[in-house]
């Protein structure tokens, strides 16, 4: 899949990604199309996000009765961690590709005045230090929620963390790269900037409200 990378930032540039993003950006996209587009983009995002994960050798029995050497991904070592609630929109597509992965949840809400992230829920699997944690959120705006979620995961013992989102603002990317230089960021689009209210420009509105029909 075509993409552009610089150190720990990876931006997808495939025509399918840009095509699907157009549906999300359009203000009057019906909720069913919006949800379908998010799911389709999450599949493309998962494909790229999982590209660097290691494989293990295995042997399978072929239809003709002979054996063949193959490679398998250890799905049990993958943990998807959506940031509630909008991050759940990316989860189904990820699980379509890796159905045996574990799932954790981090509940974060942004204070409307300070824009700081406030945690209200945290639950992750045991032995999180042994898993590759892929944090999911449609948007990386100020970076405060992503920073808080990643910090909380590290406190729980996570050592291998990737952050995956649909769109990102340069300000959020800069914050994560400063505080968490070990965390790779994978996104479908690096947008222009944040506005005075902390929303991404051009963005796509409130992803959670549009996905869940609460706008």
């Amino acid at each position: 899949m075509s993409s552009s990378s610089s150190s720990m930032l990876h931006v997808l540039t495939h025509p399918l990604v840009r095509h699907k993003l157009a549906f999300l950006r359009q203000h009057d996209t019906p909720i069913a199309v919006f949800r379908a587009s998010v799911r389709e983009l999450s599949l493309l995002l998962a494909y790229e996000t999982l590209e660097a994960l290691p494989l293990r050798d295995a042997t399978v029995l072929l239809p003709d009765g002979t054996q063949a050497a193959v490679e398998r991904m250890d799905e049990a070592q993958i943990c998807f961690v959506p940031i509630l609630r909008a991050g759940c929109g990316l989860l189904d597509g990820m699980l379509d590709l890796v159905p045996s992965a574990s799932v954790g949840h981090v509940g974060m809400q942004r204070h409307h005045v300070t824009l700081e992230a406030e945690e209200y829920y945290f639950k992750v699997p045991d032995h999180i230090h042994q898993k590759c944690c892929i944090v999911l959120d449609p948007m990386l705006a100020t970076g405060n929620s992503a920073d808080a979620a990643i910090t909380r995961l590290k406190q729980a013992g996570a050592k291998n963390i990737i952050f995956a989102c649909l769109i990102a603002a340069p300000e959020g990317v800069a914050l994560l790269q400063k505080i968490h230089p070990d965390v790779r960021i994978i996104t479908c689009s690096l947008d222009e900037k944040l506005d005075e209210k902390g929303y991404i420009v051009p963005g796509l509105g409130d992803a959670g409200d549009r996905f869940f029909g609460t706008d």
Side-chain angles (χ1 to χ4, degrees):
M1 185 179 295
S2 54
S3 57
S4 62
S5 299
S6 60
S7 64
M8 299 297 281
L9 174 65
H10 191 73
V11 183
L12 307 190
T13 59
H14 194 282
L16 267 177
V17 171
R18 300 204 298 269
H19 173 69
K20 296 297 180 181
L21 275 175
F23 290 105
L24 301 188
R25 295 194 192 276
Q26 187 171 330
H27 77 96
D28 60 351
T29 295
I31 186 171
V33 177
F34 189 90
R35 287 173 173 168
S37 298
V38 169
R39 189 182 188 118
E40 291 160 353
L41 278 169
S42 70
L43 286 166
L44 298 172
L45 193 59
Y47 177 85
E48 201 71 24
T49 301
L50 300 171
E51 187 270 339
L53 295 184
L55 296 170
R56 57 180 175 82
D57 294 330
T59 302
V60 297
L61 185 65
L62 299 176
D64 65 1
T66 62
Q67 292 185 334
V70 297
E71 294 177 308
R72 294 187 185 274
M73 183 178 293
D74 189 354
E75 296 187 14
Q77 298 306 309
I78 300 170
C79 181
F80 296 120
V81 186
I83 298 178
L84 301 177
R85 65 180 172 149
C88 291
L90 298 176
L91 181 60
D92 285 347
M94 298 278 179
L95 288 175
D96 282 345
L97 289 184
V98 195
S100 297
S102 56
V103 178
H105 294 88
V106 181
M108 293 288 174
Q109 57 189 8
R110 187 169 71 164
H111 193 284
H112 293 296
V113 176
T114 66
L115 303 184
E116 295 295 323
E118 301 174 335
E119 179 186 318
Y120 63 88
Y121 184 79
F122 183 81
K123 180 70 173 179
V124 296
D126 294 333
H127 309 297
I128 195 69
H129 65 285
Q130 298 177 350
K131 299 180 182 292
C132 175
C133 296
I134 301 172
V135 181
L136 307 176
D137 203 354
M139 309 173 79
L140 176 59
T142 63
N144 291 331
S145 293
D147 167 35
I150 292 169
T151 297
R152 189 69 171 86
L153 281 169
K154 288 182 175 179
Q155 290 171 349
K159 302 181 184 303
N160 183 8
I161 301 174
I162 300 171
F163 183 85
C165 62
L166 297 179
I167 62 173
E171 294 89 338
V173 169
L175 181 73
L176 282 196
Q177 290 183 328
K178 177 181 179 181
I179 302 176
H180 303 286
D182 57 322
V183 174
R184 194 176 190 209
I185 302 167
I186 301 181
T187 182
C188 293
S189 175
L190 182 61
D191 278 18
E192 180 183 343
K193 62 179 182 180
L194 294 179
D195 66 15
E196 64 279 0
K197 294 182 180 180
Y199 289 100
I200 300 176
V201 178
L204 48 84
D206 189 304
D209 281 342
R210 295 187 68 188
F211 187 88
F212 292 106
T214 53
D215 54 348

